[in-house]
mmCIF file of all heavy atoms in Angstrom:
data_model
loop_
_atom_site.group_PDB
_atom_site.id
_atom_site.type_symbol
_atom_site.label_atom_id
_atom_site.label_comp_id
_atom_site.label_asym_id
_atom_site.label_seq_id
_atom_site.Cartn_x
_atom_site.Cartn_y
_atom_site.Cartn_z
ATOM 1 N N VAL L 1240 -124.806 -44.937 116.312
ATOM 2 C CA VAL L 1240 -124.500 -43.508 116.162
ATOM 3 C C VAL L 1240 -125.668 -42.667 116.691
ATOM 4 O O VAL L 1240 -125.473 -41.682 117.399
ATOM 5 C CB VAL L 1240 -124.183 -43.153 114.692
ATOM 6 C CG1 VAL L 1240 -123.990 -41.653 114.517
ATOM 7 C CG2 VAL L 1240 -122.947 -43.906 114.212
ATOM 8 N N PHE L 1241 -126.900 -43.068 116.363
ATOM 9 C CA PHE L 1241 -128.082 -42.338 116.821
ATOM 10 C C PHE L 1241 -128.121 -42.247 118.342
ATOM 11 O O PHE L 1241 -128.411 -41.190 118.908
ATOM 12 C CB PHE L 1241 -129.371 -43.007 116.322
ATOM 13 C CG PHE L 1241 -130.613 -42.383 116.895
ATOM 14 C CD1 PHE L 1241 -131.163 -41.257 116.319
ATOM 15 C CD2 PHE L 1241 -131.215 -42.914 118.033
ATOM 16 C CE1 PHE L 1241 -132.292 -40.656 116.856
ATOM 17 C CE2 PHE L 1241 -132.342 -42.319 118.581
ATOM 18 C CZ PHE L 1241 -132.881 -41.194 117.990
ATOM 19 N N ARG L 1242 -127.819 -43.341 119.023
ATOM 20 C CA ARG L 1242 -127.881 -43.347 120.476
ATOM 21 C C ARG L 1242 -126.866 -42.373 121.073
ATOM 22 O O ARG L 1242 -127.140 -41.720 122.075
ATOM 23 C CB ARG L 1242 -127.680 -44.765 121.007
ATOM 24 C CG ARG L 1242 -128.873 -45.665 120.625
ATOM 25 C CD ARG L 1242 -128.687 -47.080 121.088
ATOM 26 N NE ARG L 1242 -128.924 -47.142 122.523
ATOM 27 C CZ ARG L 1242 -128.337 -48.038 123.324
ATOM 28 N NH1 ARG L 1242 -127.488 -48.919 122.838
ATOM 29 N NH2 ARG L 1242 -128.613 -48.046 124.602
ATOM 30 N N ARG L 1243 -125.705 -42.255 120.446
ATOM 31 C CA ARG L 1243 -124.712 -41.272 120.918
ATOM 32 C C ARG L 1243 -125.223 -39.852 120.681
ATOM 33 O O ARG L 1243 -125.130 -38.988 121.555
ATOM 34 C CB ARG L 1243 -123.375 -41.476 120.203
ATOM 35 C CG ARG L 1243 -122.612 -42.693 120.667
ATOM 36 C CD ARG L 1243 -121.170 -42.687 120.186
ATOM 37 N NE ARG L 1243 -120.983 -42.311 118.807
ATOM 38 C CZ ARG L 1243 -120.712 -43.157 117.818
ATOM 39 N NH1 ARG L 1243 -120.611 -44.444 118.064
ATOM 40 N NH2 ARG L 1243 -120.534 -42.723 116.588
ATOM 41 N N VAL L 1244 -125.770 -39.610 119.485
ATOM 42 C CA VAL L 1244 -126.289 -38.281 119.150
ATOM 43 C C VAL L 1244 -127.430 -37.912 120.094
ATOM 44 O O VAL L 1244 -127.485 -36.803 120.623
ATOM 45 C CB VAL L 1244 -126.758 -38.232 117.670
ATOM 46 C CG1 VAL L 1244 -127.564 -36.978 117.386
ATOM 47 C CG2 VAL L 1244 -125.566 -38.328 116.725
ATOM 48 N N HIS L 1245 -128.331 -38.841 120.327
ATOM 49 C CA HIS L 1245 -129.488 -38.584 121.192
ATOM 50 C C HIS L 1245 -129.059 -38.321 122.626
ATOM 51 O O HIS L 1245 -129.609 -37.436 123.288
ATOM 52 C CB HIS L 1245 -130.473 -39.751 121.126
ATOM 53 C CG HIS L 1245 -131.720 -39.508 121.910
ATOM 54 N ND1 HIS L 1245 -131.962 -40.131 123.113
ATOM 55 C CD2 HIS L 1245 -132.770 -38.681 121.697
ATOM 56 C CE1 HIS L 1245 -133.114 -39.721 123.588
ATOM 57 N NE2 HIS L 1245 -133.630 -38.834 122.750
ATOM 58 N N SER L 1246 -128.064 -39.064 123.101
ATOM 59 C CA SER L 1246 -127.622 -38.850 124.488
ATOM 60 C C SER L 1246 -127.003 -37.465 124.658
ATOM 61 O O SER L 1246 -127.189 -36.822 125.683
ATOM 62 C CB SER L 1246 -126.637 -39.932 124.928
ATOM 63 O OG SER L 1246 -125.420 -39.821 124.228
ATOM 64 N N ARG L 1247 -126.294 -36.990 123.645
ATOM 65 C CA ARG L 1247 -125.725 -35.638 123.709
ATOM 66 C C ARG L 1247 -126.816 -34.585 123.617
ATOM 67 O O ARG L 1247 -126.773 -33.573 124.309
ATOM 68 C CB ARG L 1247 -124.698 -35.436 122.593
ATOM 69 C CG ARG L 1247 -123.438 -36.213 122.814
ATOM 70 C CD ARG L 1247 -122.432 -35.982 121.715
ATOM 71 N NE ARG L 1247 -121.358 -36.929 121.830
ATOM 72 C CZ ARG L 1247 -120.825 -37.569 120.827
ATOM 73 N NH1 ARG L 1247 -121.248 -37.362 119.596
ATOM 74 N NH2 ARG L 1247 -119.848 -38.422 121.010
ATOM 75 N N ALA L 1248 -127.781 -34.815 122.768
ATOM 76 C CA ALA L 1248 -128.873 -33.851 122.596
ATOM 77 C C ALA L 1248 -129.708 -33.764 123.866
ATOM 78 O O ALA L 1248 -130.207 -32.689 124.207
ATOM 79 C CB ALA L 1248 -129.744 -34.246 121.410
ATOM 80 N N ALA L 1249 -129.851 -34.870 124.566
ATOM 81 C CA ALA L 1249 -130.657 -34.880 125.794
ATOM 82 C C ALA L 1249 -130.007 -34.054 126.896
ATOM 83 O O ALA L 1249 -130.687 -33.565 127.795
ATOM 84 C CB ALA L 1249 -130.863 -36.314 126.266
ATOM 85 N N LEU L 1250 -128.684 -33.881 126.822
ATOM 86 C CA LEU L 1250 -127.974 -33.093 127.831
ATOM 87 C C LEU L 1250 -128.145 -31.592 127.634
ATOM 88 O O LEU L 1250 -127.945 -30.815 128.560
ATOM 89 C CB LEU L 1250 -126.480 -33.435 127.818
ATOM 90 C CG LEU L 1250 -126.119 -34.868 128.196
ATOM 91 C CD1 LEU L 1250 -124.624 -35.093 128.011
ATOM 92 C CD2 LEU L 1250 -126.541 -35.162 129.621
ATOM 93 N N MET L 1251 -128.500 -31.198 126.426
ATOM 94 C CA MET L 1251 -128.645 -29.777 126.111
ATOM 95 C C MET L 1251 -130.032 -29.294 126.521
ATOM 96 O O MET L 1251 -131.031 -29.924 126.173
ATOM 97 C CB MET L 1251 -128.418 -29.553 124.619
ATOM 98 C CG MET L 1251 -127.039 -29.998 124.162
ATOM 99 S SD MET L 1251 -126.892 -30.057 122.385
ATOM 100 C CE MET L 1251 -126.762 -28.329 122.032
ATOM 101 N N PRO L 1252 -130.088 -28.208 127.276
ATOM 102 C CA PRO L 1252 -131.408 -27.710 127.679
ATOM 103 C C PRO L 1252 -132.177 -27.201 126.455
ATOM 104 O O PRO L 1252 -131.669 -26.412 125.669
ATOM 105 C CB PRO L 1252 -131.086 -26.573 128.648
ATOM 106 C CG PRO L 1252 -129.692 -26.165 128.319
ATOM 107 C CD PRO L 1252 -128.999 -27.368 127.758
ATOM 108 N N ALA L 1253 -133.355 -27.695 126.315
ATOM 109 C CA ALA L 1253 -134.202 -27.269 125.199
ATOM 110 C C ALA L 1253 -135.658 -27.426 125.623
ATOM 111 O O ALA L 1253 -135.997 -28.274 126.437
ATOM 112 C CB ALA L 1253 -133.923 -28.109 123.966
ATOM 113 N N SER L 1254 -136.479 -26.604 125.059
ATOM 114 C CA SER L 1254 -137.901 -26.743 125.344
ATOM 115 C C SER L 1254 -138.422 -27.906 124.508
ATOM 116 O O SER L 1254 -138.238 -27.962 123.297
ATOM 117 C CB SER L 1254 -138.638 -25.457 125.016
ATOM 118 O OG SER L 1254 -138.503 -25.154 123.644
ATOM 119 N N ARG L 1255 -139.006 -28.838 125.166
ATOM 120 C CA ARG L 1255 -139.527 -30.024 124.502
ATOM 121 C C ARG L 1255 -140.948 -29.761 124.028
ATOM 122 O O ARG L 1255 -141.804 -29.349 124.798
ATOM 123 C CB ARG L 1255 -139.552 -31.198 125.465
ATOM 124 C CG ARG L 1255 -138.187 -31.723 125.796
ATOM 125 C CD ARG L 1255 -138.177 -33.189 125.419
ATOM 126 N NE ARG L 1255 -136.904 -33.799 125.660
ATOM 127 C CZ ARG L 1255 -136.035 -34.030 124.687
ATOM 128 N NH1 ARG L 1255 -136.293 -33.692 123.477
ATOM 129 N NH2 ARG L 1255 -134.903 -34.624 124.951
ATOM 130 N N PRO L 1256 -141.211 -30.017 122.750
ATOM 131 C CA PRO L 1256 -142.585 -29.885 122.280
ATOM 132 C C PRO L 1256 -143.437 -31.018 122.854
ATOM 133 O O PRO L 1256 -142.908 -32.049 123.271
ATOM 134 C CB PRO L 1256 -142.447 -30.021 120.751
ATOM 135 C CG PRO L 1256 -141.149 -30.723 120.536
ATOM 136 C CD PRO L 1256 -140.277 -30.401 121.709
ATOM 137 N N ALA L 1257 -144.706 -30.798 122.894
ATOM 138 C CA ALA L 1257 -145.608 -31.837 123.385
ATOM 139 C C ALA L 1257 -145.500 -33.055 122.470
ATOM 140 O O ALA L 1257 -145.373 -32.915 121.246
ATOM 141 C CB ALA L 1257 -147.034 -31.315 123.394
ATOM 142 N N PRO L 1258 -145.523 -34.266 123.046
ATOM 143 C CA PRO L 1258 -145.422 -35.461 122.207
ATOM 144 C C PRO L 1258 -146.646 -35.606 121.317
ATOM 145 O O PRO L 1258 -147.754 -35.196 121.689
ATOM 146 C CB PRO L 1258 -145.339 -36.606 123.213
ATOM 147 C CG PRO L 1258 -145.806 -36.058 124.504
ATOM 148 C CD PRO L 1258 -145.628 -34.587 124.458
ATOM 149 N N GLU L 1259 -146.427 -36.156 120.153
ATOM 150 C CA GLU L 1259 -147.552 -36.442 119.259
ATOM 151 C C GLU L 1259 -148.444 -37.473 119.941
ATOM 152 O O GLU L 1259 -147.951 -38.432 120.547
ATOM 153 C CB GLU L 1259 -147.035 -36.953 117.918
ATOM 154 C CG GLU L 1259 -146.291 -35.883 117.154
ATOM 155 C CD GLU L 1259 -145.833 -36.349 115.773
ATOM 156 O OE1 GLU L 1259 -146.387 -37.332 115.248
ATOM 157 O OE2 GLU L 1259 -144.913 -35.703 115.245
ATOM 158 N N HIS L 1260 -149.717 -37.282 119.829
ATOM 159 C CA HIS L 1260 -150.697 -38.101 120.546
ATOM 160 C C HIS L 1260 -150.469 -39.597 120.329
ATOM 161 O O HIS L 1260 -150.485 -40.373 121.290
ATOM 162 C CB HIS L 1260 -152.122 -37.705 120.126
ATOM 163 C CG HIS L 1260 -153.177 -38.515 120.794
ATOM 164 N ND1 HIS L 1260 -153.446 -38.404 122.141
ATOM 165 C CD2 HIS L 1260 -153.992 -39.478 120.307
ATOM 166 C CE1 HIS L 1260 -154.393 -39.250 122.456
ATOM 167 N NE2 HIS L 1260 -154.756 -39.920 121.368
ATOM 168 N N LEU L 1261 -150.243 -39.999 119.112
ATOM 169 C CA LEU L 1261 -150.081 -41.410 118.789
ATOM 170 C C LEU L 1261 -148.874 -42.020 119.503
ATOM 171 O O LEU L 1261 -148.890 -43.189 119.882
ATOM 172 C CB LEU L 1261 -149.945 -41.586 117.266
ATOM 173 C CG LEU L 1261 -149.864 -43.001 116.728
ATOM 174 C CD1 LEU L 1261 -151.136 -43.784 117.051
ATOM 175 C CD2 LEU L 1261 -149.648 -42.978 115.226
ATOM 176 N N TYR L 1262 -147.822 -41.231 119.720
ATOM 177 C CA TYR L 1262 -146.578 -41.728 120.307
ATOM 178 C C TYR L 1262 -146.420 -41.368 121.783
ATOM 179 O O TYR L 1262 -145.393 -41.647 122.380
ATOM 180 C CB TYR L 1262 -145.376 -41.206 119.505
ATOM 181 C CG TYR L 1262 -145.351 -41.800 118.128
ATOM 182 C CD1 TYR L 1262 -146.019 -41.203 117.068
ATOM 183 C CD2 TYR L 1262 -144.678 -42.986 117.884
ATOM 184 C CE1 TYR L 1262 -146.015 -41.766 115.812
ATOM 185 C CE2 TYR L 1262 -144.664 -43.562 116.627
ATOM 186 C CZ TYR L 1262 -145.337 -42.938 115.589
ATOM 187 O OH TYR L 1262 -145.345 -43.514 114.347
ATOM 188 N N ALA L 1263 -147.429 -40.764 122.382
ATOM 189 C CA ALA L 1263 -147.340 -40.318 123.773
ATOM 190 C C ALA L 1263 -147.107 -41.483 124.731
ATOM 191 O O ALA L 1263 -146.456 -41.314 125.761
ATOM 192 C CB ALA L 1263 -148.603 -39.559 124.155
ATOM 193 N N GLY L 1264 -147.585 -42.670 124.404
ATOM 194 C CA GLY L 1264 -147.379 -43.842 125.258
ATOM 195 C C GLY L 1264 -145.911 -44.152 125.498
ATOM 196 O O GLY L 1264 -145.522 -44.597 126.581
ATOM 197 N N TYR L 1265 -145.085 -43.913 124.489
ATOM 198 C CA TYR L 1265 -143.654 -44.152 124.646
ATOM 199 C C TYR L 1265 -143.041 -43.229 125.697
ATOM 200 O O TYR L 1265 -142.089 -43.588 126.371
ATOM 201 C CB TYR L 1265 -142.911 -43.930 123.321
ATOM 202 C CG TYR L 1265 -143.025 -45.078 122.347
ATOM 203 C CD1 TYR L 1265 -143.852 -44.991 121.233
ATOM 204 C CD2 TYR L 1265 -142.281 -46.241 122.526
ATOM 205 C CE1 TYR L 1265 -143.941 -46.029 120.333
ATOM 206 C CE2 TYR L 1265 -142.366 -47.289 121.620
ATOM 207 C CZ TYR L 1265 -143.198 -47.186 120.524
ATOM 208 O OH TYR L 1265 -143.287 -48.218 119.633
ATOM 209 N N MET L 1266 -143.597 -42.028 125.818
ATOM 210 C CA MET L 1266 -142.988 -41.029 126.694
ATOM 211 C C MET L 1266 -143.208 -41.320 128.174
ATOM 212 O O MET L 1266 -142.579 -40.707 129.022
ATOM 213 C CB MET L 1266 -143.488 -39.627 126.334
ATOM 214 C CG MET L 1266 -143.123 -39.199 124.910
ATOM 215 S SD MET L 1266 -141.410 -39.514 124.434
ATOM 216 C CE MET L 1266 -140.571 -38.245 125.350
#
Side-chain angles (χ1 to χ4, degrees):
V1240 175
F1241 174 84
R1242 292 178 76 209
R1243 286 193 316 256
V1244 168
H1245 184 254
S1246 68
R1247 289 181 191 137
L1250 296 175
M1251 300 168 76
S1254 61
R1255 289 237 179 259
E1259 293 183 20
H1260 179 69
L1261 184 62
Y1262 293 89
Y1265 281 105
M1266 298 314 286

